[in-house]
């Protein structure tokens, strides 16, 4: 019979090194290491934040350098069309005004009625061009037609007698009037009445070979400004884009992106009914009775307004406006300028005055934002 042999537990051998460990110092060392790791982590986070801020600053400086942070508006009476003798000449006159404003990158054109007729829209039937506001409506409609990219005009402008000869006018050839295969970061388009999958956004016709799918579901028939994605899948049936505000191509991309048209019932409404919350911070009136423009200088601004008179000048517009109690147009403006003091003709037509005045003011605008003296 075998007897069980009890196994003895082996003695734990404690090395001489472990016996001599100072656990108090070891704990303090571990605490110090943890503190250093935490500091390194915080330093890394701070470094990343600084890099992000630098990138944002660089982006902001890039936008400020390439973009335009101000707007230029031009106001004139619709009665200038009454000086034309036929429908063809009225249309051609409107085309000259549109070309002049686009050449000098005007952002807003305001058509005001010297007779105080409260007209706010170009909608309605054609009743002939007369002295009760129809000239304003026709001028506004032609200006809107010319500003619209060619591939969108049929959708936004049905056949109308005001536009009978508009197709013969010289094209504006603005940067947003693009050809089918022209490459650009931004495009104008119309939202299509086409069903899409939920959450996939709407389809837009931007005058390209493919339709554009945007990131939002919008009402069909709306005109939108889109920014195309930098990388596109060429195998896809659609391009991808996001909707942006109409001012983004100008303020961020530095592109002139056309003008808007506003109707004002009288001269005072030009100032009080503007689209900007703080109004126009610099205003300029033009007249042969104004001061010499060579000595004038513009201060930096957000929204510049330049006002032109009609056949009888701004004095006639002032007399017709019952809301204004001043006796001289010069009291309405920050600058009241004669932009062509040595004129050889007794009169300067409004379309000519726009070209002359904006050519001079463009240099003053450049000087105002460059810090150089005029």
């Amino acid at each position: 019979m075998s007897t069980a042999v009890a196994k003895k537990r082996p003695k734990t051998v404690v090395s001489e090194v472990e016996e001599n460990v100072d656990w108090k110092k070891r704990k303090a060392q571990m605490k110090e290491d943890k503190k250093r790791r935490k500091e390194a982590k915080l330093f890394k986070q701070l470094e990343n934040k600084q890099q992000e801020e630098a990138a944002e600053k660089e982006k902001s400086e890039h936008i400020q350098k390439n973009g335009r942070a101000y707007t230029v508006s031009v106001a004139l009476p619709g009665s200038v069309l009454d000086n034309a003798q036929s429908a063809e000449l009225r249309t051609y006159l409107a085309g000259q005004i549109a070309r002049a404003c686009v050449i000098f990158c005007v952002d807003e054109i305001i058509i005001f009625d010297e007779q105080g007729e409260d007209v706010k829209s170009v909608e309605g039937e054609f009743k002939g061009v007369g002295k009760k506001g129809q000239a304003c409506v026709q001028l506004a409609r032609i200006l809107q037609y010319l500003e619209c990219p060619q591939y969108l005009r049929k959708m936004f402008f049905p056949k109308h007698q005001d536009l009978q000869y508009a197709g013969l006018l010289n094209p504006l050839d603005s940067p947003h009037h693009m050809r089918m295969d022209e490459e650009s970061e931004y495009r104008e388009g119309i939202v299509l009445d086409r069903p899409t999958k939920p959450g996939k956004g709407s389809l837009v016709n931007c005058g390209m070979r493919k339709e554009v799918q945007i990131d939002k579901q919008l009402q069909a028939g709306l005109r939108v400004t889109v920014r195309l994605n930098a990388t596109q899948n060429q195998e896809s049936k659609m391009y991808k884009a996001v909707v942006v505000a109409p001012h983004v191509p100008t303020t961020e991309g530095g592109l002139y992106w056309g003008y808007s048209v506003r109707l004002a019932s009288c001269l005072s409404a030009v100032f009080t009914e503007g689209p900007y919350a703080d109004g126009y911070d610099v205003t300029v009136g033009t007249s042969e009775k104004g001061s010499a423009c060579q000595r004038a200088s513009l201060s930096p601004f957000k929204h510049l307004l330049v006002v032109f008179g009609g056949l009888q000048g701004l004095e006639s517009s002032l007399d017709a406006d019952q809301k204004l109690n001043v006796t001289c147009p010069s009291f309405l403006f920050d600058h009241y300028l004669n932009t062509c003091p040595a004129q050889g003709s007794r009169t300067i037509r409004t379309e000519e005055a726009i070209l002359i005045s904006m050519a001079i003011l463009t240099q003053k605008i450049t000087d105002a934002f460059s810090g150089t003296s005029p």
Side-chain angles (χ1 to χ4, degrees), residues 23-295:
W23 290 104
K24 189 174 181 180
K25 290 183 178 180
R26 179 71 178 271
K27 189 176 181 180
Q29 181 67 35
M30 292 172 64
K31 189 175 181 180
E32 187 67 25
D33 292 343
K34 185 177 181 181
K35 183 179 178 181
R36 279 199 295 266
R37 287 195 300 269
K38 188 175 181 180
E39 288 177 350
K41 185 178 180 181
L42 290 174
F43 181 78
K44 186 66 176 178
Q45 290 176 347
L46 180 62
E47 187 179 23
N48 292 338
K49 186 177 180 180
Q50 289 176 342
Q51 290 177 352
E52 290 176 1
E53 289 177 352
E56 287 294 327
K57 184 178 179 181
E58 184 180 352
K59 182 180 179 182
S60 177
E61 290 176 350
H62 176 75
I63 289 173
Q64 292 177 1
K65 182 179 178 180
N66 294 327
R68 177 156 64 91
Y70 62 86
T71 66
V72 177
S73 300
V74 162
L76 70 155
S79 61
V80 296
L81 291 192
D82 294 333
N83 199 33
Q85 292 79 22
S86 66
E88 294 91 336
L89 290 176
R90 283 194 290 270
T91 304
Y92 184 70
L93 174 57
Q96 286 182 300
I97 293 171
R99 285 280 304 170
C101 290
V102 167
I103 288 171
F104 293 104
C105 300
V106 172
D107 302 286
E108 180 191 28
I109 303 177
I110 308 155
I111 312 299
F112 64 91
D113 197 323
E114 292 179 304
Q115 301 302 317
E117 195 77 16
D118 191 12
V119 179
K120 298 291 181 64
S121 171
V122 297
E123 300 300 325
E125 295 299 322
F126 177 79
K127 297 181 181 178
V129 176
K131 296 183 178 180
K132 294 185 178 180
Q134 290 304 310
C136 295
V137 174
Q138 185 182 27
L139 177 56
R141 182 177 282 116
I142 295 173
L143 292 177
Q144 288 179 338
Y145 175 84
L146 290 174
E147 187 277 336
C148 184
Q150 293 89 330
Y151 56 86
L152 297 178
R153 287 176 180 171
K154 287 185 178 180
M155 282 77 86
F156 288 110
F157 295 92
K159 189 174 181 180
H160 196 285
Q161 195 168 349
D162 280 355
L163 303 173
Q164 182 178 2
Y165 301 103
L168 302 176
L169 294 175
N170 296 322
L172 300 186
D173 208 19
S174 183
H176 66 300
H177 290 196
M178 295 179 187
R179 283 68 174 174
M180 180 178 292
D181 296 320
E182 188 174 352
E183 293 185 1
S184 176
E185 184 179 2
Y186 302 95
R187 279 233 178 208
E188 290 291 293
I190 181 173
V191 179
L192 299 174
D193 188 9
R194 193 82 57 78
T196 57
K197 296 180 180 179
K200 292 294 184 179
S202 301
L203 295 178
V204 177
N205 174 14
C206 291
M208 307 172 74
R209 296 188 183 277
K210 298 179 184 179
E211 293 173 351
V212 177
Q213 187 174 41
I214 57 176
D215 58 327
K216 296 181 180 178
Q217 191 73 36
L218 299 177
Q219 182 181 350
L222 287 178
R223 177 175 167 177
V224 293
T225 305
V226 304
R227 177 164 52 202
L228 295 166
N229 295 355
T231 57
Q232 299 285 347
N233 182 6
Q234 300 301 324
E235 303 297 327
S236 176
K237 295 182 179 180
M238 295 171 289
Y239 292 120
K240 302 289 185 179
V242 296
V243 178
V244 297
H247 65 79
V248 169
T250 301
T251 56
E252 295 188 11
L255 299 170
Y256 174 62
W257 211 246
Y259 54 77
S260 61
V261 180
R262 176 165 68 91
L263 284 163
S265 58
C266 53
L267 179 59
S268 60
V270 172
F271 300 89
T272 60
E273 298 177 358
Y276 310 114
D278 298 328
Y280 303 98
D281 42 356
V282 175
T283 57
V284 177
T286 60
S287 172
E288 61 180 8
K289 299 178 182 179
S291 59
C293 63
Q294 286 77 7
R295 296 192 297 270

Side-chain angles (χ1 to χ4, degrees), residues 13-23 26:
V13 180
V14 180
S15 67
E16 187 177 337
V17 177
E18 290 180 349
E19 286 181 346
N20 296 332
V21 170
D22 191 339
W23 290 104
R26 179 71 178 271

